[in-house]
């Protein structure tokens, strides 16, 4: 960025009072948002008040509106639901109720509100803001407040954060709670799959989403469901026949189970409800399959928030406080939201209007319009699902006579199998023959290569590790053998799914093009590594699953000390030299410090951290958490830090250490990794098809330009193809990390939430955008 960084030190909250409330249905991650608002508010010297029980508490006043301190939000990060309560409130819908609420706020000098809830709660907040000056005048006329107060508290500023598991709010890629709800659904689906497999059963799963099919659609994509019913995209006339044909075809292909997912608001094209019972009865009557219904219900709202939701809510909470500090009487009420991987501010009413437009389109039967209004992420999910779930008959598929090889390279990462499945199925739909290479470049050289079909990759999305097998070996020492194999099998394009070794491998293969014509074919890399250290991409497949493992483990470790004396845990994470897991794990687990290679530290800083923790432990806080990346410093090892903290903390706290190790690479992939892997891989295969057409000359494929060897990465708001040759200048090859990493900007966030004074660059925030301006083409850092 060329512009001068802008720091928020100039923004002071002195003299301001912020009220925070959660309203409407609860969602996991609301507490993380509340915690971030409170701590950021206190950090900028504002007073912060809890408003208990949503708008009901605002109307009732009294003990429902309480000033809070730093410690008030300690240990709530990992708790689901909302600790300040939420209630549906009829009185607030009346002017009388809002008058009482205004009186209660003015009494405490609160003129800044941070509302965490769904579109109903946010619309209510906006109405309250518009009526504010009228309400104060009425209170003055009734003699409840004086003229001075009317002048002093003349304006009410409102910032919203969307907390809703349905992800039904337009303008934001992901609402707080959606990712956690997907975790609950996927846990259930994974468990059901094993029992369904045993008995050759069909399961009909009903998930939440009265007006929005996001949860149903994404969970169908993440588990490879046979059929999905959502309100925005009703099935065509005669769907009963098509569905039954599809289910029986799958059984004929030796598939032992069928999964059908139904959103609770699913409808047919005549706006008549499609219920899970109706679907079950249909399958039993027409096919005689043993069929069961499972309604997930409120399980989806429960449980601990996922790492994604904690980080999202923490980022949004801090952004909300900044928005309140910068608000003027002319600023419209805004929502802080996520677009791609970036925090944005959007006018609240524009978002609400667009959300209502979707419902209107559905009511009027304009379903294609409804899908478009839901936004690019939703549309993309739907198109990808349609592409991957229904195999066209061979007679309808194009025949390109191209052979594409798919391989995994590097260490295993959860989500690799979902990426392979998507590549195979999209490749076949495009008319190519797909070859699977076993055991990376080493297996390639040994001829471990076989054609793979649509059915071979069924059920792969939920499998952890790498089914194809993966090795870290680079191709340089096998170039001749790999070229032979490519010639023998007539391979016209390569898709490599892997980490830093995959990137190095593609660089080596493109350098060998001068010597071997066989490598003059389109090659694409899809980043998959828990370390998230691949240049050219903000995210890698597998990093989210590893982050959730770290977060869950930290929660358990913290809990292990409850009831004992004060204790600090030193936890070592993976990542090579890349501090992504340590830094983001620290943000998601509420750690006090995270030591990483990218931010050099010395003994003075270690000393300051120990003193800071010692001071904290003298208050009501009982547990401390310190994360350390495995290679952050060769001398300040995990043992050294553990011994230092043990010595310096004597008499105040004791210490324990944990090395998390390879558990970070294992486990079933998270919903994010399944979907990110599926969508990015499908896009990569479509790029291969395009390149094959462009480079096919005189009966053969010949591609020798830089732009025919690309890495597909997520950059801020877009998925972009970047020639690997151009990424060389962005790479630190010695430490195997990108020279610039976006998440380093979030480091101050972690420090602020852990009570350190620091500077936070807010150059990226502060611009109010318009909903329609969000780039339509962009792909999302959300799923």
């Amino acid at each position: 960025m060329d512009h001068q960084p802008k720091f928020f030190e100039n923004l002071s909250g002195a003299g301001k009072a912020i009220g925070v409330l959660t309203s409407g249905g609860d969602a996991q991650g609301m507490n993380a948002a509340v915690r971030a608002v409170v701590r950021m508010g206190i950090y900028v010297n504002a007073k912060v008040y809890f408003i208990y029980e949503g708008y009901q508490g605002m109307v009732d006043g009294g003990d429902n509106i309480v000033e809070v301190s730093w410690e008030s939000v300690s240990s709530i990060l990992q708790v689901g639901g909302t600790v300040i309560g939420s209630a549906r409130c009829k009185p607030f819908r009346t002017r009388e109720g809002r008058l009482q609420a205004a009186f209660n706020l003015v009494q405490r000098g609160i003129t800044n509100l941070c509302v965490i809830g769904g579109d109903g709660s946010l619309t209510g907040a906006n109405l309250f803001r518009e009526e504010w000056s009228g309400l104060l005048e009425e209170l003055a006329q009734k003699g409840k407040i004086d003229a001075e107060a009317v002048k002093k508290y003349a304006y009410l500023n409102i910032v919203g954060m969307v907390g809703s598991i349905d992800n039904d709010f337009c303008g934001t890629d992901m609402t707080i709670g959606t990712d956690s709800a997907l975790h609950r659904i996927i846990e259930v689906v994974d468990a059901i799959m094993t029992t369904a497999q045993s008995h050759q059963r069909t399961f009909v799963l009903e998930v939440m989403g009265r007006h929005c099919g996001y949860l149903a659609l994404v969970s169908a994509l993440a588990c490879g469901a046979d059929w999905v019913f959502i309100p925005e995209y009703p099935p065509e006339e005669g769907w009963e026949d098509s569905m039954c044909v599809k289910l029986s075809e799958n059984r004929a292909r030796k598939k032992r189970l069928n999964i059908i997912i139904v959103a609770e608001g699913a409808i047919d094209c005549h706006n008549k409800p499609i219920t899970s019972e109706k679907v079950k009865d249909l399958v039993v009557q027409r096919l005689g399959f043993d069929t069961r219904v499972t309604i997930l219900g409120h399980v989806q709202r429960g449980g601990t928030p996922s790492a994604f939701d904690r980080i999202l809510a923490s980022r949004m909470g801090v952004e909300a406080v900044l928005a309140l500090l910068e608000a003027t009487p002319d600023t419209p009420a805004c929502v802080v939201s996520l677009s791609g991987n970036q925090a944005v501010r959007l006018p609240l009413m524009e978002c609400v209007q667009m959300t209502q437009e979707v419902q209107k389109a559905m009511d009027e039967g304009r379903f294609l319009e409804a899908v478009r209004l839901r936004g690019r992420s939703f549309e993309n999910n739907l198109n990808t699902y349609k592409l991957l779930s229904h195999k066209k008959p061979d007679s309808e598929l194009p025949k390109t006579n191209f052979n594409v090889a798919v391989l995994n390279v590097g260490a295993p990462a959860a989500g690799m199998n979902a990426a392979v499945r998507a590549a195979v199925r999209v490749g076949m739909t495009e008319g190519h023959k797909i070859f699977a290479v076993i055991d990376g470049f080493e297996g390639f050289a040994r001829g471990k290569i076989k054609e793979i079909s649509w059915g071979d990759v069924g059920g792969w999305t939920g499998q952890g590790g790498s089914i194809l097998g993966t090795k870290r070996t680079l191709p340089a020492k096998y170039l001749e053998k790999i070229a032979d194999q490519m010639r023998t099998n007539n391979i016209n394009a390569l898709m490599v799914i892997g980490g830093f070794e995959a990137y190095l491998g593609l660089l080596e293969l493109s350098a060998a093009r001068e010597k071997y014509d066989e490598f003059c074919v389109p090659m694409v890399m899809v980043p998959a590594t828990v370390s998230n250290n691949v240049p050219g991409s903000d995210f890698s497949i597998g990093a989210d699953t590893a982050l959730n493992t770290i977060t869950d483990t930290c929660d358990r470790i913290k809990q292990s000390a409850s009831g004992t004396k004060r204790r600090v845990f030193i936890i070592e994470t993976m990542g090579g030299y890349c501090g992504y897991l340590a830094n983001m794990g620290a943000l998601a687990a509420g750690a006090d410090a995270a030591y990483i290679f990218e931010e050099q530290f010395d003994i003075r800083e270690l000393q300051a951290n120990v003193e800071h923790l010692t001071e904290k432990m003298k208050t009501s806080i009982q547990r401390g958490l310190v994360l350390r990346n495995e290679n952050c410093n060769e001398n300040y090892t995990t043992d050294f830090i553990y011994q230092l903290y043990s010595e310096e903390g004597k008499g105040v706290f004791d210490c324990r250490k944990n090395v998390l190790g390879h558990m970070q690479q294992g486990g079933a992939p998270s919903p994010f990794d399944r979907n990110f892997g599926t969508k990015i891989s499908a896009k990569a295969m479509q790029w291969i098809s395009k390149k094959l057409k462009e480079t096919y000359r005189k009966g053969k494929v010949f591609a020798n330009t830089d732009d025919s060897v690309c890495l597909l990465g997520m950059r801020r708001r877009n998925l972009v193809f970047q020639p690997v040759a151009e990424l060389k200048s962005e790479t630190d090859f010695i430490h195997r990390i990108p020279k610039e990493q976006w998440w380093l900007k979030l480091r101050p966030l972690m420090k602020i939430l852990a009570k350190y004074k620091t500077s936070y660059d807010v150059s990226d925030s502060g611009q109010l955008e318009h909903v329609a301006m969000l780039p339509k083409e962009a792909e999302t850092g959300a799923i």
Side-chain angles (χ1 to χ4, degrees), residues 39 69 127 146 157 181 205 279 324 402 417 441 461 484 524 536 553 560 591 627 662 671:
R39 293 197 165 171
S69 68
L127 175 65
D146 55 24
N157 293 318
L205 276 167
V279 175
L324 285 171
F402 290 132
N417 301 321
F441 288 120
T461 42
D484 283 347
V524 68
T553 312
S560 73
L627 271 66
H662 280 75

Side-chain angles (χ1 to χ4, degrees), residues 235-246:
E236 293 164 3
E237 287 277 16
W239 61 268
E240 296 91 342
D241 298 332
S242 337
M243 184 181 81
C244 291
V245 167
K246 167 104 195 291

Side-chain angles (χ1 to χ4, degrees), residues 391-399:
K391 181 181 190 290
K392 288 182 180 163
D394 291 346
S395 56
E396 286 179 34
L397 290 174
K399 281 279 176 287

Side-chain angles (χ1 to χ4, degrees), residues 84-346:
I84 55 176
S86 176
R88 310 270 177 204
C89 176
K90 282 204 175 125
F92 193 76
R93 292 185 179 170
T94 65
R95 188 174 166 90
E96 279 311 300
R98 292 192 290 276
L99 193 68
Q100 187 57 42
F103 175 68
N104 291 330
L105 293 184
V106 168
Q107 289 231 294
R108 295 163 179 81
I110 299 171
T111 54
N112 295 282
L113 276 188
C114 182
V115 183
I116 307 163
D119 60 341
S121 313
L122 299 179
T123 311
N126 192 59
L127 175 65
F128 190 41
R129 177 180 175 274
E130 285 170 353
E131 288 182 351
W132 182 257
S133 51
L135 292 171
L136 293 201
E137 277 163 22
E138 195 174 324
L139 287 169
Q141 280 162 14
K142 291 184 174 175
K144 286 194 167 186
I145 59 173
D146 55 24
E148 183 58 34
V150 176
K151 211 154 119 193
K152 189 174 177 187
Y153 304 123
Y155 304 105
L156 177 70
N157 293 318
I158 281 181
V159 172
M161 278 184 269
V162 191
S164 153
I165 64 166
D166 293 342
N167 203 21
D168 56 356
F169 196 77
C170 290
T172 172
D173 279 347
M174 281 295 260
T175 56
I176 295 166
T178 307
D179 187 61
S180 302
L182 286 170
H183 272 259
R184 296 300 91 80
I185 296 169
I186 293 302
E187 282 157 17
V188 171
V189 174
D190 284 355
I192 277 176
M193 277 185 161
T194 54
T195 165
Q197 199 113 21
S198 311
H199 296 278
Q200 296 203 35
R201 279 195 176 133
T202 296
F203 268 87
V204 181
L205 276 167
E206 184 179 303
V207 301
M208 280 184 166
R210 212 167 313 141
H211 306 293
C212 177
Y214 185 90
L215 289 177
L217 177 58
V218 173
S219 45
L221 196 54
C223 72
D226 296 272
W227 203 272
V228 64
F229 293 98
I230 57 172
E232 295 87 345
Y233 191 77
E236 293 164 3
E237 287 277 16
W239 61 268
E240 296 91 342
D241 298 332
S242 337
M243 184 181 81
C244 291
V245 167
K246 167 104 195 291
L247 295 180
S248 46
E249 272 177 6
N250 280 349
R251 281 293 166 96
R253 286 200 206 106
K254 303 278 190 294
K255 189 178 178 188
R256 293 179 61 90
L257 78 159
N258 304 107
I259 301 272
I260 299 165
I261 294 184
V262 184
E264 61 179 333
I267 47 174
D268 64 16
C269 50
H270 305 296
N271 256 324
K272 298 270 185 303
I274 296 176
T275 64
S276 40
E277 280 300 329
K278 180 179 174 178
V279 175
K280 175 201 158 175
D281 294 343
L282 185 78
V283 176
V284 172
Q285 284 160 15
R286 298 254 186 123
L287 300 170
F289 289 175
D290 185 358
T291 307
R292 298 282 193 274
V293 172
T294 300
I295 296 173
L296 269 72
H298 282 73
V299 165
Q300 295 160 86
R301 282 192 194 278
T304 57
S306 64
F308 183 95
D309 272 333
R310 297 182 197 194
I311 293 165
L312 170 69
S314 301
R315 285 175 74 179
M316 300 295 100
V318 168
E319 183 72 22
V321 173
L322 293 176
L324 285 171
L325 293 185
E326 291 175 356
T328 66
D330 308 322
T331 319
C334 75
V335 277
V336 290
S337 138
L338 192 70
S339 172
N341 185 22
Q342 210 179 340
V344 291
R345 297 180 196 172
L346 302 164

Side-chain angles (χ1 to χ4, degrees), residues 746-758:
L746 299 186
R747 263 187 86 68
L749 203 70
M750 183 203 83
K751 292 178 180 175
I752 289 164
L753 297 176
K755 216 172 182 175
Y756 285 93
K757 287 284 175 213
T758 182

Side-chain angles (χ1 to χ4, degrees), residues 359-551:
Q359 192 54 48
K360 200 171 153 208
M362 277 155 46
D363 293 343
E364 293 170 5
R366 294 180 287 119
F367 295 109
L368 286 172
E369 178 73 356
V371 168
R372 196 186 61 73
L373 286 168
R374 275 272 179 246
R376 53 179 193 213
S377 169
F378 190 90
E379 214 170 342
N380 227 309
N381 283 323
L382 185 60
N383 293 336
T384 311
Y385 176 76
K386 288 194 293 197
L387 205 59
L388 297 176
S389 61
H390 302 279
K391 181 181 190 290
K392 288 182 180 163
D394 291 346
S395 56
E396 286 179 34
L397 290 174
K399 281 279 176 287
T400 60
N401 295 325
F402 290 132
N403 294 344
V404 181
V406 179
L407 66 158
N408 291 160
V409 175
M416 274 182 164
N417 301 321
V420 173
R421 169 184 175 266
V424 169
R425 292 193 169 179
V426 172
M428 288 183 70
T429 309
E430 305 261 318
H432 315 316
K433 271 189 182 171
I434 309 294
F435 287 80
V437 178
I438 314 297
D439 293 343
F441 288 120
E442 196 176 307
F444 209 164
R446 293 191 181 147
K448 291 163 95 173
I449 177 167
K450 62 174 198 295
E451 193 180 340
I452 188 165
S453 70
W454 186 280
D456 293 341
V457 290
W460 278 30
T461 42
Q463 305 281 331
S466 160
I467 297 172
L468 291 184
T470 178
K471 287 237 183 336
R472 289 177 180 271
T473 324
L474 292 172
K477 56 180 178 181
Y478 297 117
L479 287 173
E480 197 159 324
K481 288 180 175 171
I482 294 174
D484 283 347
Q485 288 299 330
M486 287 187 70
R487 190 168 52 252
T488 311
N489 294 287
N490 190 23
I491 301 296
N492 307 111
L494 268 190
M495 178 156 163
V496 184
I497 300 162
F500 205 83
E501 286 87 359
Y503 166 64
L504 294 175
L506 281 195
L507 285 172
E508 290 181 1
L509 290 180
S510 58
R513 279 175 161 182
E514 291 170 19
K515 197 172 172 190
Y516 302 98
D517 272 2
E518 288 81 0
F519 300 139
C520 294
V521 295
M523 302 186 210
V524 68
M525 171 185 165
V526 170
T529 165
V530 297
S531 306
N532 198 22
N533 63 334
V534 176
S537 192
D538 291 356
F539 294 114
S540 300
I541 298 165
D544 183 69
T545 305
L547 204 49
N548 276 296
T549 305
I550 292 167
T551 310

